Structure formats: C-alpha cells, structure tokens
Amino acid sequence: MARKGYVEIDTEGCKGCNLCVLHCPTDVLELKTSDTNSYGLHYAVMVNEEACNGCMNCSLVCPDAAITVYRQAS
Amino acid sequence: MTAREGYKVVAKRPSTLLDKRMHYCPGCFHSTVHKLMMELVEEMEIQDKIVGVCPVGCSVFAYEYMNIDMQEAAHGRAAAVATGVKRMLPDKLVFSYQGDGDLAAIGTAETIHACNRGENFTFIFINNGIYGMTGGQMAPTTLEGQRTSTSPYGRDVAKVGYPLRMAEMVANFEGVAYSQRVTCTNPAETRRCKRAIKKAFEMQMKGLGTTFIEVASNCPSGWKCTPEESVTWIEDKMLPYFPLGVFKDVTKKEKKAEA
Ligand SMILES: Cc1ncc(C[n+]2csc(CCOP(=O)(O)OP(=O)(O)O)c2C)c(N)n1
Ligand code: SF4
Ligand code: SF4
Ligand code: SF4
C-alpha cells in the first residue's frame, strides 16, 4: 500500500504562488480562491487529502517555507 | 504543530530561517534559495560558522531572514567585502549573495578579480535576467529580444551586446574551484540546487578556491507574468542560452589524475 501523508499550510505565510499546486504529483492541493489571508492573498489548501503520499515536492518548491509535510511512520 | 497519531514530520520550515514574512513577491526564487540555504545551515550545523554578505537589489534585506551573521555591502561590492571577511576570519564559511545587476553589471570587476585571485568563498548568484528591485530594467544577463522597461522593443544585441554567461566565464579562472548553474523550476532541480550549494560549501571548507553557484532564477513581477509562467519562461527561454550544469570542478580533475 502506498505511504500516506498530509500537509499543513501556514495560510498567513502562503503567498498563493501556486507552485506547490503545480508540482504536487497527486493533485492534493489547490488555491482557495474563495478566501484570502490578511495580506489579501489566496492561499493553498488540501482538497484531496486521501491522495497525499508525503513526497515533499510541495514543501521543496514552496518559496516561503509555508508547508509542513507529515508522513505515516512505517 | 504536533503530528497526528502514527505520523511524523518529514519536512518543515528550517529553524534558521527567521519567523518573518519575506518581502519577496509571490513565487520569487530569492525566497526559495534563502530557504534552501537555511536548510543547509541547519543540517550542516554551521549556524555559528557561516557569514553572508548581502548585495543591493531585491535581496538587500537577506539578513532580515537568514538567522546567521551577515554584512551588507555597497552595490556590486559584495565580492570585495566577502574577500575581506574571509581573509580576516579564514575559519568562517563565507558567501556572497548577489543578483545579476549587482554581480554582473556594477560589480563585474569585483567578481572577476575575486575569482581570479581564487578567494576562498562561495558566490550565490541569482540570475533573473533583470534588475528586479528598481523596476525591471535590462541587465547584462537579459536575453536577446527580451522586453524590459529599458528595452521595450526587446534587447538588441547589435546595440548592447550579448547576455553574459557568468558561470561559464568564471570557470576559466585558475582561482575558481567550482562553478555550476542550477535552477528551482521543479522539485528535482530544487534538490539539485541545494546539493550544489552544499558541495560549494564543502569545497570552501577544504580551502580549494572560489566556488560559484549561479541560479537561473525568476522575477515574476519584473517579467510581468505569474510564477507558473515564469517557470515556463526559464525552461523555454533561459535554459537554452544559460544551460544547467557543472562548468568546473577541480575535485573531478584530482580524481582523474589519481586514476
Ligand atoms: C551605486 C548604486 N547604483 C545604482 C543603484 C540602484 N539599484 C538598486 S538595485 C539595482 C539592481 C538590482 O538588480 P539585481 O542585482 O539583478 O537584483 P534583483 O533586484 O533582480 O534581485 C540598482 C541598479 C544603487 N542602489 N546604488
Ligand atoms: S507531500 Fe507530495 S503528495 Fe502530499 S501534498 Fe505535498 S506534493 Fe502533494
Ligand atoms: S508554494 Fe507555498 S507560497 Fe506558494 S501557494 Fe503553495 S504554500 Fe503558498
Ligand atoms: S521584483 Fe522580482 S526579484 Fe524582486 S522580489 Fe519581486 S519577483 Fe523577486
């Protein structure tokens, strides 16, 4: 069975650049365009948590180090 | 933040990156490179050993974010300041962090002579092909035909010359031990970028000479595009002219000589 993971995104630290969304291989993330943080920017959220495998691609490309990745301890 | 039952943290913001919002535009690789460098400082446990020199340019406030000792330099003079710091404190790991306007325009002489002298510090060169801070003017690294605020019809090489390939150029200097061009356009390249900086730091620790890491970087604001489009621009337009790769590695030569 594939590893399971999930991420936590610091919505205030996120600048809505969309790079994590672009590089997530399993389409877990999306920009929440219906809301903004206190800086007036859209932020990324998990929309498909089940598919997250904890690969860390999103945290690696996040310029603002806004993503914490968790993975199932084997 | 505590992990859910049965899960562990595998990636998080490095403790060496101060808990401040960086002023960079969304998607700017200045932020990415700051983050990668601070991850390395944490992983290599060199926080009290490393000293950085900041440029003038968008990254003028890098010292506000990197939780290490740093010194600001006048525009273009980071290589001269880094030379001084390294010579006075040879046991420290020293780097200059510079944009293309800083390193390859106003500071060309300092860059070239520091490389030629083989000053034992690391250049982190953020090449975004433009003067980001001042409003997107043409830089020596602006591509042929690229529109900027001072080349509204595109860079005309017949008038202003060709974009400078710094990583290739400095590789020719005897004093340079390592020169590589990397980028952060995807997870694999971002990992490679971090490895390159690590390698440069390790070579500096061995006293091998100047180490030079050029990052083919972006400027979504100056290029007037989204961060996603800036990634495509790097891949399609920049990398054919500024190819990724290692242009010099003296440790390879040694290995070959041994074999
Ligand atoms: C002596 C001097 N000349 C000119 C300037 C104006 N100036 C500030 S930043 C800059 C260029 C910055 O471009 P770059 O080094 O490419 O960095 P970026 O902002 O793109 O990261 C210039 C020309 C200055 N501050 N000092
Ligand atoms: S850890 Fe990997 S799978 Fe999970 S959200 Fe990030 S990029 Fe997607
Ligand atoms: S990469 Fe980081 S800053 Fe950009 S949208 Fe994702 S979480 Fe936000
Ligand atoms: S102006 Fe360009 S280089 Fe400067 S922070 Fe914005 S995107 Fe980055």
Side-chain angles (χ1 to χ4, degrees), chain B residues 30 56-59 75 99-102 106 128 130-134:
Chain B
H30 269 304
V56 169
C58 279
S59 49
H75 199 15
D100 44 346
D102 193 84
I106 193 170
N128 59 12
I130 207 165
Y131 290 3
M133 185 196 211
T134 43

Side-chain angles (χ1 to χ4, degrees), chain A residues 3-72:
Chain A
R3 283 174 310 196
K4 286 258 172 237
Y6 70 99
V7 302
E8 263 167 10
I9 297 171
D10 169 11
T11 50
E12 281 296 291
C14 172
K15 292 180 184 161
C17 73
N18 212 39
L19 293 178
C20 57
V21 177
L22 185 70
H23 292 296
C24 172
T26 53
D27 298 329
V28 173
L29 307 169
E30 231 172 59
L31 276 199
K32 189 172 166 108
T33 48
S34 59
D35 194 19
T36 58
N37 60 21
S38 71
Y39 298 93
L41 296 167
H42 297 314
Y43 50 86
V45 290
M46 281 200 294
V47 290
N48 185 15
E49 184 182 331
E50 278 305 295
C52 178
N53 56 25
C55 71
M56 305 186 279
N57 274 5
C58 53
S59 61
L60 200 60
V61 298
C62 176
D64 288 276
I67 306 181
T68 308
V69 183
Y70 299 85
R71 198 190 282 161
Q72 217 162 29

